[in-house]
Amino acid sequence: MRAWLRQHRQAFALALRKIAAQRSAALLNAFVIGVALALPAGGYALLANLDAVTQRVAYAPQLSVYLRHEAPRGAAAALGARLKADPRVLEARFVTREAALKQLRRTETLAELAAALGQNPLPDAFVVRVDETDPAAFEAFARELRAHPAVAHVQVDSDWARRFGALATVARIAIALLAVLLAVGLIAVTFNTIRLQILTQGAEIEVSRLIGATDSFIRRPLYYLGLLQGLAGGGVALAIVWVGLAALNVGVRELSATYGSNFRLSFLDAGDGLAVAGFSALLGWLGAYLSVSRYLRDIDDIH
């Protein structure tokens, strides 16, 4: 066991020395790998952030129920009691026309328009959160409310979330396909990099085999070289994603403030970050494996 660990330690140290001896090429390879991995990793981070917003609406559908102007407050009270007694309703919040107008006047872009109104044109309304995720049942409940004599209009406020959910599914598939294509490209980059490294050491490898070196002994430092290059590329990818999200947050901060929110794009959590680094290292190792295996097979064919 100690001999096995010593061999791996020596192979790892040799791979580090090779990287240190070719710092410029190693940095360039890490940058190429990092840029390629940053595309799917950044797309995943954006989808994860947007999902966190839309899922809250998607799992708690919301209706805005606008009452007729001529409807008396007694009718509004009766409808409110009916909504609160309905087991499908999680919350029914009554918004008077006066409160709605005050809210309109507090909105910076609409304050002048609200001040110019001669009379309050806004209706009384209920904001209803429904414990119903089945689209057919949800629409049936909306139709029930539209049939009420005091109701003028029912607006479904979570349709956008359903549409976004469908778009997000398409985006996930596209990102997965992009990741697969880029993974193939990264394997090819590592394959060629290790192959060039092998060609510069071709004579040394052949002499090592002649004096009894095993294929494992020859492969081991090159495997570590590919793994370390991939790992460095994963680190570059995470740095690019972090900088990109920080830059986007400058605009997101201003946009969310207009909606009275403090929403920010969050960086990948620790598990996702480790997954990106591990995936990149695995691709580097795989490229090295394919390159070394092909070279040794060619040598065997020659001899």
Side-chain angles (χ1 to χ4, degrees), residues 249-284:
N249 269 329
V250 175
V252 169
R253 186 181 297 110
E254 296 179 2
L255 178 62
S256 62
T258 62
Y259 290 93
S261 171
N262 61 351
F263 174 72
R264 301 291 182 274
L265 296 172
S266 301
F267 186 59
L268 297 170
D269 60 32
D272 290 334
L274 289 174
V276 170
F279 181 65
S280 180
L282 177 63
L283 292 178

Side-chain angles (χ1 to χ4, degrees), residues 215-229:
D215 285 354
S216 297
F217 179 84
I218 296 171
R219 291 170 182 265
R220 202 174 291 123
L222 296 171
Y223 287 172
Y224 277 116
L225 180 61
L227 185 144
L228 288 173
Q229 286 183 338

Side-chain angles (χ1 to χ4, degrees), residues 3-298:
W4 183 83
L5 290 174
R6 184 174 62 254
Q7 290 170 359
H8 278 272
R9 187 168 60 250
Q10 292 172 348
F12 185 78
L14 180 59
L16 286 177
R17 287 197 296 272
K18 290 182 183 299
I19 290 176
Q22 301 176 347
R23 287 188 294 273
S24 298
L27 287 173
L28 182 59
N29 288 331
F31 183 75
V32 169
I33 294 172
V35 169
L37 273 181
L39 294 175
Y44 175 82
L46 289 174
L47 280 178
N49 278 281
L50 295 176
D51 273 351
V53 176
T54 58
Q55 282 179 0
R56 288 197 296 267
V57 179
Y59 287 113
Q62 185 169 288
L63 298 169
S64 293
V65 182
Y66 299 101
L67 305 184
R68 300 183 185 278
H69 277 281
E70 64 274 14
R73 285 290 166 83
L79 178 58
R82 172 183 167 182
L83 289 172
K84 292 179 180 178
D86 195 311
R88 297 169 292 182
V89 175
L90 293 174
E91 179 187 11
R93 180 167 56 89
F94 183 57
V95 181
T96 65
R97 65 188 68 179
E98 293 80 12
L101 183 61
K102 288 181 181 179
Q103 181 64 36
L104 186 66
R105 287 171 175 167
R106 284 197 294 267
T107 303
E108 182 178 351
T109 56
L110 299 176
E112 294 183 4
L113 176 63
L117 294 174
Q119 59 181 1
N120 185 359
L122 301 176
D124 293 330
F126 284 95
V127 178
V128 183
R129 290 178 58 242
V130 183
D131 184 18
E132 185 62 74
T133 56
D134 178 62
F138 183 63
E139 184 58 36
F141 180 68
R143 284 197 300 270
E144 289 180 24
L145 293 176
R146 292 188 185 102
H148 193 281
V151 173
H153 178 66
V154 176
Q155 178 179 326
V156 180
D157 297 333
S158 59
D159 279 350
W160 68 273
R162 292 192 183 89
R163 296 188 188 102
F164 183 85
L167 290 174
T169 300
V170 174
R172 288 190 191 96
I173 296 172
I175 288 174
L177 292 175
L178 178 64
V180 171
L181 291 174
L182 291 175
V184 174
L186 295 181
I187 291 172
V189 168
T190 310
F191 178 92
N192 289 326
T193 300
I194 300 299
R195 187 161 183 81
L196 289 174
Q197 183 72 37
I198 292 172
L199 291 175
T200 61
Q201 298 178 276
E204 178 184 341
I205 291 173
E206 290 194 27
V207 170
S208 298
R209 295 192 83 186
L210 289 174
I211 62 176
T214 64
D215 285 354
S216 297
F217 179 84
I218 296 171
R219 291 170 182 265
R220 202 174 291 123
L222 296 171
Y223 287 172
Y224 277 116
L225 180 61
L227 185 144
L228 288 173
Q229 286 183 338
L231 187 61
V236 172
L238 292 174
I240 292 173
V241 172
W242 185 85
V243 171
L245 291 176
L248 287 174
N249 269 329
V250 175
V252 169
R253 186 181 297 110
E254 296 179 2
L255 178 62
S256 62
T258 62
Y259 290 93
S261 171
N262 61 351
F263 174 72
R264 301 291 182 274
L265 296 172
S266 301
F267 186 59
L268 297 170
D269 60 32
D272 290 334
L274 289 174
V276 170
F279 181 65
S280 180
L282 177 63
L283 292 178
W285 177 89
L286 182 57
Y289 170 80
L290 295 174
S291 183
V292 175
S293 298
R294 178 176 176 179
Y295 181 78
L296 294 178
R297 187 168 58 251
D298 290 344

